[in-house]
Amino acid sequence: MFNLIPLIKNENMKIYKRLGTWVMIGLLFLVIVVAAFFTKFFFVEENSERWEEQLQMTNIQLIEQIEEIESSNIIGISTQSLHEQVAINEYRIENNLPPLDSQTFWGFMNSAPDFTSIAALFTIVIGAGIVAGEFSSGTIKLLLIRPVSRYKILFSKYISTLLFALFLICIMVISSFVIGIILFGFDGIELPSLTFTDGKVIERNMITQTLLLYGIQAVDLVMMVTFAFMVSTVFRSNSLAIGISIFLMFTGQQLVMLFNDYNWVKYILFANTNLNQFFNGTPMVEGMTLTFSLIVLSIYYIFFLVISWIMFNFRDVDA
Amino acid sequence: MEKEPFVQLINVKKRIGSSEIIRDLSLNLYRGEVFGFLGPNGAGKTTTIRMLVGLMKMTEGEILINGFSIKRNFEKAISHVGGIIENPEMYNFLTGYDNLIHYSRMTPNIKKDRITEIINLVGLETRINDKVKTYSLGMRQRLGIAQALLHSPSFLILDEPTNGLDPAGIREIRAYIRRLAHKENITVFVSSHLLTEMELMCERIGIIHNGELISVESVQSMVDDHQKMVQFKVSPPEKAFNLIKEKYPNVHIQLKGSVVEMNIRAEEITTFTKILINQNFQIFGIRSEQKTLEDKFIEITGGDSNV
């Protein structure tokens, strides 16, 4: 384990001494700033003074909708999430807890994790280049004739890619925190987050809620980045790895929709990457559970890493 | 002279698909020698070098460096090796110094002093903090040599080491390679297509052709010993040709019009002249031509070389 640290230092040097890396970091920061200003000055929200009346109205509509679905006997559409929504709204009215306003500190902090897909995009670019780049520049030859096993080099590259992702997420958290405080102040900072678990509404600390949102997004990120990393080691091509990964990242969900009628669709990677479906909303395919998804994801994950390892370790270098 | 070889290639074979790239190559390299590896393009030079440093796996055979197998004990075997494989491709977006730092981190115990020492040695002091993309080909070559020498290897592999250097630089590098081999007892393995370069740098030269190592000789013997092509202008030539062919079946002899051409050593010229005079042949002229390494090389590789 000891001699991995200098290798990670090397990989970090090669990541952060490129101008392109800092352009990506700058862009991510810019996205957060622009989103904050947009939320503050252009986002028109309904009058939050009368939130209780609005929630009651919403609930009436929701209940009508539930009845309509249940009476029509359509199979396959679950009313579970609608029921949960009604319960949470009632809990808010009973306990005088106004819904989270986007134009508040926590409102903004909780919307920032949506931009994790941008961080994922940038990490894919890094992960796709970190192995393939050495082949296309020819530097792989000098890299692999050192007294370091190939698997250690591969591992240090993978770790450095994930560290880059972590760095990007830290930038998102810190910048949204600072901008959030500056633009939205401390109003409503004590409000809890509400969630429906085990048949009842529970209150959750906002910090936990924010971290949970990032955590859910991070699973998607790690899967896609590991996929890009694998494609990069298998094909030794930077552009192919970026191309395939980004293409699948944007079309993966549609792919699942397309084959939704088949039972095997739930084994597709992209039916499982969005864990948010288990926390807020309904699963893409009926009968899927969080545990099921986690198992499928781990199998894919191990598969990606084993393929990368085999391809990097045992193939001849003829670049 | 019984010496323990420092590097051993034992019956190395490489097949890619159905074609045999390297056919049963065996070679011993000793400490303190500069070995030249010569062959036309596509002969298997690069493949051999890549197997030597573990970039490619051999199909059969074994390579030992200081007794360690490159297959089974890679880290130990490779720790003795420094090299440039083909072009010295460095990280263009990093400075020369960062490149050296990068490689120094991959070998234990390289001090900052050593890096400075190597920079001075290859003469890159003034440009070492510039990005490599601004370097000329010669400067990249120097940086390549610097990274190869950084960890004081005992086996140095240099693929076309003087490529892109100016004449002064070539001479400098050549002198340095010889000094390394002789003073520090390092084994140097040089591949080059510049034959004159090989003659000046190497003690022994191996010629590879179509994946086979067809000749390993010391430069001395290749150039001097039986390298003279002597032409005797005699009358009658046919009789002289038959006579020598009968008496000395081992001598390479050719009849070219009125000229009998023999490949013999310098000291044998007298012997053969005496024979011809004693048999009452008339001799009109004796011309001897020093064979260059290039002639030898073309002769061995069948003349279809493109070096």
Side-chain angles (χ1 to χ4, degrees):
Chain A
M1 214 53 194
F2 159 71
N3 47 10
L4 220 54
I5 291 159
L7 296 181
I8 293 173
K9 270 187 178 172
N10 271 349
E11 294 308 324
N12 281 343
M13 177 168 80
K14 286 183 269 181
I15 293 174
Y16 297 104
K17 288 222 173 175
R18 273 182 207 263
L19 180 66
T21 306
W22 291 98
V23 171
M24 291 194 287
I25 293 169
L27 275 176
L28 185 66
F29 176 73
L30 205 68
V31 165
I32 300 284
V33 174
V34 169
F37 273 87
F38 190 84
T39 311
K40 174 82 177 173
F41 298 109
F42 298 100
F43 197 75
V44 185
E45 199 147 38
E46 289 163 55
N47 192 351
S48 55
E49 304 288 300
R50 293 159 55 221
W51 61 269
E52 285 170 310
E53 278 172 45
Q54 280 162 13
L55 281 187
Q56 271 161 356
M57 291 276 285
T58 314
N59 267 1
I60 292 165
Q61 285 167 2
L62 283 173
I63 289 164
E64 272 174 18
Q65 216 177 325
I66 291 168
E67 280 167 355
E68 203 173 297
I69 292 169
E70 284 175 347
S71 63
S72 67
N73 285 327
I74 304 168
I75 305 160
I77 298 175
S78 168
T79 51
Q80 177 65 20
S81 65
L82 299 177
H83 279 295
E84 287 175 11
Q85 195 57 51
V86 173
I88 289 174
N89 288 347
E90 278 169 357
Y91 189 91
R92 287 195 184 283
I93 295 163
E94 280 167 30
N95 297 282
N96 194 27
L97 293 169
L100 196 55
D101 188 333
S102 312
Q103 287 169 315
T104 61
F105 172 73
W106 283 119
F108 181 64
M109 281 297 273
N110 276 351
S111 66
D114 295 343
F115 298 111
T116 309
S117 55
I118 294 171
L121 195 80
F122 292 158
T123 313
I124 284 172
V125 172
I126 295 290
I130 201 160
V131 174
E134 301 269 5
F135 279 92
S136 54
S137 68
T139 47
I140 189 78
K141 288 176 286 186
L142 292 183
L143 187 72
L144 293 185
I145 58 164
R146 310 285 145 183
V148 179
S149 303
R150 286 195 191 180
Y151 79 89
K152 285 183 195 157
I153 290 174
L154 186 73
F155 193 52
S156 67
K157 284 183 177 294
Y158 184 64
I159 297 286
S160 304
T161 308
L162 292 189
L163 285 175
F164 179 71
L166 189 67
F167 178 58
L168 289 186
I169 290 180
C170 286
I171 292 212
M172 288 172 66
V173 173
I174 294 168
S175 55
S176 57
F177 179 86
V178 172
I179 299 160
I181 294 264
I182 294 169
L183 288 187
F184 305 110
F186 295 94
D187 275 352
I189 204 152
E190 72 295 336
L191 285 177
S193 167
L194 296 185
T195 161
F196 195 90
T197 311
D198 297 332
K200 61 178 188 292
V201 177
I202 55 164
E203 293 185 14
R204 195 188 274 156
N205 185 316
M206 272 294 183
I207 296 172
T208 320
Q209 170 69 9
T210 308
L211 290 180
L212 182 74
L213 288 174
Y214 276 109
I216 289 167
Q217 297 279 354
V219 171
D220 195 0
L221 178 149
V222 167
M223 290 309 295
M224 289 319 295
V225 167
T226 310
F227 177 78
F229 191 78
M230 178 191 70
V231 176
S232 161
T233 40
V234 171
F235 295 102
R236 297 172 177 182
S237 158
N238 195 339
S239 42
L240 197 66
I242 296 178
I244 294 181
S245 311
I246 290 176
F247 174 75
L248 286 179
M249 196 166 110
F250 287 117
T251 59
Q253 308 284 329
Q254 274 92 314
L255 213 69
V256 174
M257 295 295 183
L258 199 66
F259 299 110
N260 213 358
D261 293 340
Y262 302 94
N263 191 43
W264 48 261
V265 79
K266 62 184 176 190
Y267 299 107
I268 292 181
L269 173 66
F270 305 102
N272 298 284
T273 44
N274 179 16
L275 292 184
N276 213 9
Q277 59 187 324
F278 303 112
F279 294 96
N280 308 293
T282 35
M284 288 180 88
V285 181
E286 222 188 319
M288 279 173 66
T289 61
L290 181 60
T291 325
F292 172 84
S293 278
L294 287 177
I295 290 169
V296 171
L297 288 177
S298 354
I299 291 168
Y300 272 104
Y301 184 74
I302 291 165
F303 175 76
F304 292 162
L305 286 185
V306 167
I307 294 290
S308 310
W309 173 70
I310 290 172
M311 286 303 181
F312 192 73
N313 231 22
F314 300 111
R315 260 168 77 197
D316 281 350
V317 176
D318 41 21
Chain B
M1 199 165 56
E2 277 303 304
K3 278 194 294 182
E4 185 77 1
F6 187 70
V7 180
Q8 288 175 278
L9 288 88
I10 307 160
N11 302 110
V12 173
K13 288 179 192 168
K14 178 72 181 176
R15 258 191 304 275
I16 296 179
S18 58
S19 59
E20 268 200 311
I21 312 281
I22 300 294
R23 305 171 190 188
D24 205 10
L25 193 150
S26 292
L27 179 65
N28 286 342
L29 304 174
Y30 300 92
R31 275 192 171 274
E33 78 166 339
V34 183
F35 186 92
F37 198 47
L38 198 59
N41 293 333
K45 270 183 300 178
T46 309
T47 309
T48 308
I49 290 179
R50 280 170 188 243
M51 287 194 290
L52 207 48
V53 294
L55 285 176
M56 281 183 159
K57 308 221 161 15
M58 47 206 134
T59 315
E60 273 175 55
E62 181 65 281
I63 291 173
L64 302 176
I65 299 169
N66 198 20
F68 295 109
S69 160
I70 198 86
K71 274 198 288 198
R72 280 171 286 111
N73 219 334
F74 176 77
E75 291 191 24
K76 280 218 168 101
I78 204 78
S79 64
H80 301 280
V81 183
I84 306 179
I85 315 297
E86 289 174 302
N87 307 314
E89 283 139 336
M90 313 295 273
Y91 299 102
N92 279 331
F93 55 92
L94 297 180
T95 65
Y97 191 76
D98 282 341
N99 268 285
L100 293 180
I101 286 283
H102 176 269
Y103 293 116
S104 76
R105 281 187 189 140
M106 300 185 77
T107 319
N109 301 322
I110 293 179
K111 305 261 173 352
K112 288 261 155 70
D113 294 352
R114 174 66 184 163
I115 300 177
T116 318
E117 189 189 323
I118 287 288
I119 293 167
N120 293 335
L121 182 89
V122 297
L124 276 177
E125 304 93 324
T126 51
R127 298 289 305 277
I128 199 66
N129 288 318
D130 292 345
K131 290 205 167 146
V132 172
K133 63 177 147 212
T134 66
Y135 284 17
S136 67
L137 186 54
M139 291 167 73
R140 280 167 208 238
Q141 195 69 260
R142 281 159 201 271
L143 189 62
I145 290 172
Q147 65 75 29
L149 293 173
L150 203 57
H151 51 294
S152 319
S154 1
F155 179 35
L156 188 61
I157 297 170
L158 300 171
D159 209 353
E160 310 272 351
T162 51
N163 212 358
L165 294 183
D166 51 39
I170 292 177
R171 186 179 296 181
E172 224 174 278
I173 293 295
R174 199 162 60 212
Y176 183 68
I177 289 173
R178 289 195 75 102
R179 199 164 71 232
L180 268 178
H182 301 149
K183 290 248 169 66
E184 305 197 21
N185 214 21
I186 287 178
T187 311
V188 187
F189 188 82
V190 190
S191 90
S192 174
H193 65 283
L194 295 170
L195 294 148
T196 45
E197 197 57 17
M198 292 288 229
E199 285 178 279
L200 289 166
M201 224 180 333
C202 308
E203 273 90 43
R204 288 199 300 153
I205 289 181
I207 297 177
I208 184 170
H209 185 56
N210 287 337
E212 263 179 295
L213 189 66
I214 48 180
S215 150
V216 178
E217 284 174 80
S218 75
V219 170
Q220 216 55 36
S221 73
M222 281 180 103
V223 177
D224 294 342
D225 291 0
H226 44 277
Q227 282 301 304
K228 297 227 184 221
M229 186 182 69
V230 184
Q231 292 181 328
F232 289 87
K233 197 163 185 185
V234 288
S235 169
E238 294 86 1
K239 261 184 98 179
F241 174 76
N242 290 332
L243 174 82
I244 290 169
K245 204 167 182 189
E246 216 169 89
K247 273 191 156 180
Y248 301 90
N250 294 331
V251 173
H252 186 78
I253 185 165
Q254 269 183 302
L255 182 64
K256 285 185 175 170
S258 63
V259 172
V260 175
E261 200 181 276
M262 288 187 266
N263 281 351
I264 52 175
R265 288 175 207 196
E267 61 268 26
E268 289 175 322
I269 296 177
T270 327
T271 322
F272 283 96
T273 315
K274 261 187 194 162
I275 293 166
L276 291 171
I277 290 171
N278 287 344
Q279 297 288 323
N280 290 323
F281 285 98
Q282 278 191 293
I283 300 175
F284 303 110
I286 302 171
R287 201 161 72 98
S288 99
E289 237 174 52
Q290 175 92 9
K291 272 207 167 182
T292 61
L293 196 54
E294 191 168 358
D295 296 325
K296 176 80 181 170
F297 176 63
I298 286 169
E299 185 191 304
I300 290 174
T301 59
D304 59 349
S305 70
N306 50 351
V307 287

